Short mmCIF file of all heavy atoms in Angstrom, two decimals:
data_model
loop_
_atom_site.label_atom_id
_atom_site.label_comp_id
_atom_site.label_asym_id
_atom_site.label_seq_id
_atom_site.Cartn_x
_atom_site.Cartn_y
_atom_site.Cartn_z
N GLU A 236 -7.79 -11.70 4.60
CA GLU A 236 -8.94 -12.43 5.14
C GLU A 236 -10.23 -12.08 4.41
O GLU A 236 -11.06 -12.96 4.13
CB GLU A 236 -9.08 -12.16 6.64
CG GLU A 236 -8.03 -12.84 7.49
CD GLU A 236 -8.04 -14.36 7.32
OE1 GLU A 236 -9.14 -14.95 7.30
OE2 GLU A 236 -6.95 -14.95 7.18
N ARG A 237 -10.42 -10.80 4.14
CA ARG A 237 -11.63 -10.38 3.41
C ARG A 237 -11.68 -11.03 2.03
O ARG A 237 -12.75 -11.50 1.58
CB ARG A 237 -11.67 -8.86 3.25
CG ARG A 237 -12.05 -8.10 4.50
CD ARG A 237 -12.33 -6.63 4.16
NE ARG A 237 -12.66 -5.84 5.34
CZ ARG A 237 -13.10 -4.59 5.31
NH1 ARG A 237 -13.28 -3.99 4.15
NH2 ARG A 237 -13.38 -3.93 6.42
N ASN A 238 -10.55 -11.06 1.36
CA ASN A 238 -10.50 -11.66 0.02
C ASN A 238 -10.70 -13.17 0.08
O ASN A 238 -11.39 -13.74 -0.76
CB ASN A 238 -9.18 -11.31 -0.67
CG ASN A 238 -9.19 -9.95 -1.31
OD1 ASN A 238 -9.59 -9.80 -2.46
ND2 ASN A 238 -8.76 -8.95 -0.57
N ILE A 239 -10.10 -13.81 1.08
CA ILE A 239 -10.27 -15.26 1.22
C ILE A 239 -11.75 -15.61 1.41
O ILE A 239 -12.28 -16.55 0.79
CB ILE A 239 -9.45 -15.81 2.41
CG1 ILE A 239 -7.96 -15.80 2.08
CG2 ILE A 239 -9.89 -17.23 2.76
CD1 ILE A 239 -7.07 -16.21 3.24
N GLN A 240 -12.42 -14.85 2.26
CA GLN A 240 -13.83 -15.13 2.54
C GLN A 240 -14.68 -15.06 1.27
O GLN A 240 -15.47 -15.98 0.99
CB GLN A 240 -14.37 -14.15 3.57
CG GLN A 240 -15.83 -14.38 3.93
CD GLN A 240 -16.35 -13.40 4.97
OE1 GLN A 240 -15.60 -12.58 5.50
NE2 GLN A 240 -17.63 -13.45 5.26
N VAL A 241 -14.51 -14.01 0.51
CA VAL A 241 -15.33 -13.84 -0.69
C VAL A 241 -14.94 -14.87 -1.76
O VAL A 241 -15.81 -15.45 -2.42
CB VAL A 241 -15.18 -12.41 -1.24
CG1 VAL A 241 -15.89 -12.26 -2.58
CG2 VAL A 241 -15.74 -11.40 -0.26
N LEU A 242 -13.66 -15.11 -1.93
CA LEU A 242 -13.22 -16.06 -2.95
C LEU A 242 -13.60 -17.50 -2.58
O LEU A 242 -13.90 -18.30 -3.48
CB LEU A 242 -11.71 -15.96 -3.14
CG LEU A 242 -11.23 -14.68 -3.86
CD1 LEU A 242 -9.72 -14.54 -3.73
CD2 LEU A 242 -11.64 -14.71 -5.33
N THR A 243 -13.61 -17.81 -1.30
CA THR A 243 -14.05 -19.16 -0.88
C THR A 243 -15.52 -19.37 -1.22
O THR A 243 -15.92 -20.44 -1.71
CB THR A 243 -13.82 -19.34 0.63
OG1 THR A 243 -12.43 -19.22 0.92
CG2 THR A 243 -14.30 -20.71 1.09
N GLU A 244 -16.33 -18.35 -0.99
CA GLU A 244 -17.76 -18.43 -1.35
C GLU A 244 -17.92 -18.52 -2.87
O GLU A 244 -18.78 -19.27 -3.36
CB GLU A 244 -18.51 -17.22 -0.80
CG GLU A 244 -18.59 -17.19 0.72
CD GLU A 244 -19.36 -15.98 1.23
OE1 GLU A 244 -20.42 -15.67 0.65
OE2 GLU A 244 -18.90 -15.34 2.18
N ALA A 245 -17.10 -17.79 -3.60
CA ALA A 245 -17.15 -17.85 -5.05
C ALA A 245 -16.79 -19.25 -5.56
O ALA A 245 -17.42 -19.78 -6.49
CB ALA A 245 -16.21 -16.81 -5.65
N LYS A 246 -15.80 -19.86 -4.93
CA LYS A 246 -15.39 -21.22 -5.33
C LYS A 246 -16.51 -22.21 -5.06
O LYS A 246 -16.80 -23.09 -5.89
CB LYS A 246 -14.13 -21.61 -4.53
CG LYS A 246 -13.53 -22.97 -4.91
CD LYS A 246 -12.84 -22.92 -6.25
CE LYS A 246 -12.15 -24.24 -6.60
NZ LYS A 246 -10.89 -24.46 -5.86
N ALA A 247 -17.18 -22.07 -3.92
CA ALA A 247 -18.28 -22.98 -3.57
C ALA A 247 -19.45 -22.84 -4.54
O ALA A 247 -20.21 -23.80 -4.77
CB ALA A 247 -18.75 -22.69 -2.15
N ARG A 248 -19.62 -21.67 -5.12
CA ARG A 248 -20.70 -21.43 -6.07
C ARG A 248 -20.34 -21.81 -7.50
O ARG A 248 -21.14 -21.66 -8.41
CB ARG A 248 -21.09 -19.94 -6.06
CG ARG A 248 -21.74 -19.47 -4.78
CD ARG A 248 -22.18 -18.04 -4.93
NE ARG A 248 -22.85 -17.52 -3.76
CZ ARG A 248 -23.60 -16.41 -3.75
NH1 ARG A 248 -23.76 -15.73 -4.87
NH2 ARG A 248 -24.16 -16.00 -2.64
N GLY A 249 -19.12 -22.26 -7.70
CA GLY A 249 -18.70 -22.65 -9.04
C GLY A 249 -18.30 -21.48 -9.92
O GLY A 249 -18.28 -21.61 -11.15
N GLU A 250 -17.95 -20.33 -9.31
CA GLU A 250 -17.58 -19.14 -10.09
C GLU A 250 -16.10 -19.10 -10.43
O GLU A 250 -15.68 -18.31 -11.28
CB GLU A 250 -17.96 -17.87 -9.32
CG GLU A 250 -19.45 -17.73 -9.05
CD GLU A 250 -19.77 -16.51 -8.21
OE1 GLU A 250 -18.92 -15.61 -8.11
OE2 GLU A 250 -20.88 -16.44 -7.66
#
Side-chain angles (χ1 to χ4, degrees):
E236 286 302 316
R237 284 191 182 189
N238 278 272
I239 288 175
Q240 180 179 355
V241 173
L242 288 168
T243 299
E244 293 181 43
K246 184 73 176 284
R248 292 185 178 196
E250 298 177 17

